[in-house]
Amino acid sequence: MEFYLSALVLGLCLSSMALGIFITMKIFRIPDITTDGSYTLGAAVTAVLLTRQWPLAAIIPVTMIAGALAGILTGLVHTRLKIDALLAGILVMTGLYSVNLNVLGRSNIPLLEVQTIFNALSIFEKPLHNELWVGLLFLGLISGLLAYMLRTDFGIAMRATGNSESMTRALGINPDAMKITGLAIANVLTALSGFLVAQYQNFTDINMGIGIVLVGLGSVLIGDALINWLGIKIIWVQLLFIMGGSILFQMMLAVALSLGVNPSLLKLITAVFVLAIVGIPRLMARRE
Amino acid sequence: MIELSHITKVFNRGQANEVAALQDVNLQIGEGEFVVLVGANGSGKTTLLNIIAGAEFPSEGAIQIHGEEVTRVPEHKRSRWMARVFQNPLGGTAPELSILSNFRLAALRTSRKKLVIGINEAFKASVREKIAGLDMGLENKLSQPMGSLSGGQRQALTLLMSTMDHTDILLLDEPTAALDPRSAEIVMQAAQKIIQDYGLTTLFITHNLRDAHRYGNRLIHMVEGRVARDLNAEAKSKLKLQEMYEWFE
């Protein structure tokens, strides 16, 4: 039980990233893989500042700014230089590896002796229950803000940009500026996942972001499949399903581990899961 | 209102497939004029419209709108003067957003899209009333995604969206080309009404010579990137449909 609960909290922490990927992939239809870099960037900034005894209230905005800068960079490369979004993401992600290594100063920082966001609550007896509530509150806040933003005039303009660029321009919206903003927001959300996971796992590692975009992608695909299946149109409910997708994804990995799969195969399992999520519906469609 | 001087547009300059889409076009369009643009495929009609809209920039020449030089002003900034209906019914609307959201954006064409929720009951009521005027029964489907509507319904709504915010110029790029005759008729009637009610300066591209004959108060015939004929309201009203067909023989 503890084991699955812990997977659930991890899923919650990673659901911020899933929301980010939902924005780029589903709203803007841009394949952004800056994620691997901005996730670690968020975790690295958090670790360094936490060990320097910075308060969380200051670490959160710094982490968000770091993520935003990564997204803006990818956005600028993509829109100004007209470079394919996938390549723009790879360029920034690769560059960020060195940035992250320099931020960290070494390949990993343990966070055992510091006060993390997950120690902030002590209502329940079991630490895991407190951690669950911290995760729920934090993600509730993030998704609430995001849902609000997507319902505003600005949010509608954002959603229109990925939907019909010709219309957006004709209605006075600068699609390039929108895309850069969207990538910034997405990578802020991803960096916040790094912020949470670093504290939840009590360490930041330079390699923790490798392949993490696939975890987010899988989460969004699960959530999106459910959204389409149930025909959900209300945006905040859609966000909830995306977060649910992230939790489900971690649960699937937890089940695989509990069945005795060697943890060294975790990335392979992740890739196979995502392949299955993408591939099975296509195989079924072909049969029809 | 719109002034084009010595507009030339060359695509793929210096390459084997170089095309001179527009060659030294000079045109003055006055306020309230309803200009119909006809011409064979490749005669430069759409390029001309794109250059006025800012979707493309001219290779040479200058454009003024309201006496303001706008030659290099991008499309999204020129949209404060003009609304546009595209040939493709998908072009002017966001298919996955609701009718209401589409109208909300249209209502903000000339202003900033802020971080506030702008769709409230009053806004809904005003959109409902507007759409009811179309008499298509769409006023009760405001939360339906735009993509679930037919091409004709979408074009009619796109037209209506152009009146949600202040506009001086309406650009119609073959708005009925993708529609069946009945829908085309409804859309053109709606366009005519909007143009008259709001006194819009209009540019209307069409391949339908009946429409070209029937609508508008100025007719421009383009041939190979040049203005071949330019008929004012009087000349246009005397023009026989048969004569127009002969232009294209």
Side-chain angles (χ1 to χ4, degrees):
Chain A
M1 190 59 211
E2 285 272 298
F3 180 65
Y4 288 104
L5 200 57
S6 152
L8 189 149
V9 180
L10 187 61
L12 264 179
C13 294
L14 289 168
S15 64
S16 177
M17 170 184 67
L19 291 174
I21 292 183
F22 174 72
I23 290 180
T24 50
M25 193 169 84
K26 287 291 157 190
I27 294 187
F28 283 98
R29 297 196 171 89
I30 296 174
D32 175 39
I33 59 169
T34 318
T35 314
D36 280 17
S38 53
Y39 173 76
T40 314
L41 179 64
V45 168
T46 303
V48 168
L49 297 182
L50 267 180
T51 51
R52 292 190 184 162
Q53 320 293 330
W54 277 45
L56 285 168
I59 296 176
I60 292 172
V62 175
T63 307
M64 290 172 75
I65 291 168
L69 288 176
I72 290 169
L73 202 57
T74 302
L76 285 174
V77 172
H78 172 50
T79 58
R80 292 281 181 274
L81 304 178
K82 308 281 174 220
I83 286 174
D84 185 71
L86 212 50
L87 180 56
I90 294 173
L91 288 172
V92 174
M93 176 191 85
T94 307
L96 276 179
Y97 189 89
S98 295
V99 172
N100 293 337
L101 200 53
N102 278 285
V103 169
L104 281 171
R106 48 195 163 123
S107 62
N108 63 67
I109 294 181
L111 296 169
L112 293 166
E113 307 294 318
V114 294
Q115 193 69 18
T116 71
I117 192 169
F118 291 101
N119 308 133
L121 219 63
S122 47
I123 305 170
F124 304 99
E125 217 175 293
K126 283 189 181 167
L128 199 51
H129 290 177
N130 286 318
E131 288 165 6
L132 175 64
W133 275 99
V134 169
L136 281 174
L137 288 173
F138 197 84
L139 263 302
L141 187 69
I142 290 178
S143 55
L145 284 173
L146 195 59
Y148 174 82
M149 191 201 72
L150 289 173
R151 287 180 58 219
T152 63
D153 293 338
F154 178 80
I156 298 173
M158 244 174 81
R159 288 153 68 192
T161 305
N163 213 214
S164 173
E165 215 175 297
S166 55
M167 176 243 207
T168 353
R169 267 192 239 106
L171 294 183
I173 299 161
N174 181 350
D176 284 355
M178 267 300 168
K179 284 179 196 166
I180 295 170
T181 314
L183 284 166
I185 295 171
N187 284 288
V188 164
L189 291 166
T190 302
L192 283 176
S193 261
F195 163 84
L196 289 173
V197 173
Q199 296 178 80
Y200 185 59
Q201 296 182 334
N202 291 311
F203 69 86
T204 291
D205 185 278
I206 185 66
N207 293 324
M208 69 189 281
I210 294 179
I212 201 75
V213 67
L214 266 191
V215 174
L217 204 62
S219 309
V220 172
L221 290 171
I222 294 173
D224 195 54
L226 292 171
I227 288 168
N228 286 333
W229 185 47
L230 298 169
I232 291 163
K233 297 271 178 286
I234 304 162
I235 195 82
W236 68 265
V237 185
Q238 290 189 354
L239 297 185
L240 282 185
F241 271 83
I242 296 301
M243 291 162 68
S246 171
I247 291 167
L248 258 172
F249 197 94
Q250 289 308 312
M251 286 296 173
M252 281 158 61
L253 289 179
V255 169
L257 286 175
S258 70
L259 290 175
V261 171
N262 190 325
S264 68
L265 295 176
L266 211 53
K267 298 271 187 226
L268 181 62
I269 306 270
T270 304
V272 170
F273 275 163
V274 174
L275 181 65
I277 297 164
V278 181
I280 289 171
R282 299 209 177 173
L283 281 179
M284 277 161 61
R286 196 180 294 172
R287 197 165 291 172
E288 281 166 16
Chain B
M1 175 72 85
I2 305 170
E3 200 173 328
L4 305 175
S5 31
H6 304 291
I7 294 288
T8 295
K9 177 70 183 178
V10 182
F11 291 109
N12 309 316
R13 192 188 281 271
Q15 291 172 32
N17 54 348
E18 180 176 300
V19 185
L22 293 174
Q23 298 181 54
D24 195 31
V25 172
N26 292 287
L27 207 55
Q28 283 182 12
I29 299 168
E31 197 166 338
E33 275 192 330
F34 182 167
V35 183
V36 183
L37 274 171
V38 294
N41 287 328
S43 61
K45 308 179 301 290
T46 299
T47 306
L48 186 69
L49 202 77
N50 280 337
I51 279 178
I52 292 173
E56 273 161 35
F57 295 141
S59 311
E60 283 156 46
I63 311 160
Q64 288 191 339
I65 296 176
H66 276 312
E68 203 176 310
E69 158 93 36
V70 296
T71 314
R72 294 268 146 194
V73 175
E75 186 179 6
H76 64 90
K77 287 193 177 146
R78 281 190 216 182
S79 57
R80 69 185 154 111
W81 297 293
M82 55 185 86
R84 189 168 184 191
V85 181
F86 298 82
Q87 178 177 355
N88 181 350
L90 306 173
T93 55
E96 282 175 20
L97 298 186
S98 66
I99 295 180
L100 200 58
S101 296
N102 273 280
F103 271 75
R104 181 64 201 161
L105 284 183
L108 299 170
R109 179 163 41 77
T110 65
S111 53
R112 288 179 65 99
K113 287 77 182 164
K114 294 190 192 128
L115 271 171
V116 292
I117 293 180
I119 297 178
N120 52 27
E121 284 309 316
F123 182 76
K124 271 187 206 169
S126 73
V127 172
R128 196 174 293 128
E129 195 190 316
K130 258 204 151 124
I131 294 183
L134 277 180
D135 229 3
M136 287 178 150
L138 293 173
E139 58 274 17
N140 299 317
K141 297 181 176 172
L142 294 188
S143 53
Q144 266 195 23
M146 206 54 138
S148 67
L149 307 179
S150 72
Q153 290 171 326
R154 288 176 75 165
Q155 288 299 64
L157 288 180
T158 311
L159 263 170
L160 202 57
M161 278 163 62
S162 65
T163 67
M164 288 297 291
D165 199 351
H166 175 81
T167 187
D168 299 320
I169 301 164
L170 181 63
L171 303 177
L172 305 171
D173 184 4
E174 294 189 59
T176 59
L179 307 181
D180 63 72
R182 211 181 81 84
S183 307
E185 176 68 21
I186 292 171
V187 167
M188 278 317 295
Q189 290 295 335
Q192 173 85 332
K193 186 171 184 315
I194 286 167
I195 291 163
Q196 276 173 0
D197 288 356
Y198 294 86
L200 301 178
T201 307
T202 306
L203 260 97
F204 170 41
I205 295 184
T206 185
H207 278 294
N208 182 332
L209 295 186
R210 267 174 211 287
D211 281 349
H213 186 254
R214 186 166 155 204
Y215 297 104
N217 50 27
R218 184 172 171 187
L219 179 66
I220 289 175
H221 177 210
M222 295 200 61
V223 177
E224 290 172 0
R226 293 174 198 275
V227 174
R229 294 184 174 84
D230 186 350
L231 280 64
N232 63 15
E234 200 196 338
K236 184 176 186 298
S237 66
K238 286 182 187 154
L239 180 72
K240 293 200 176 70
L241 189 56
Q242 189 53 40
E243 288 175 62
M244 278 182 76
Y245 281 111
E246 282 160 13
W247 294 354
F248 288 86
E249 274 165 8

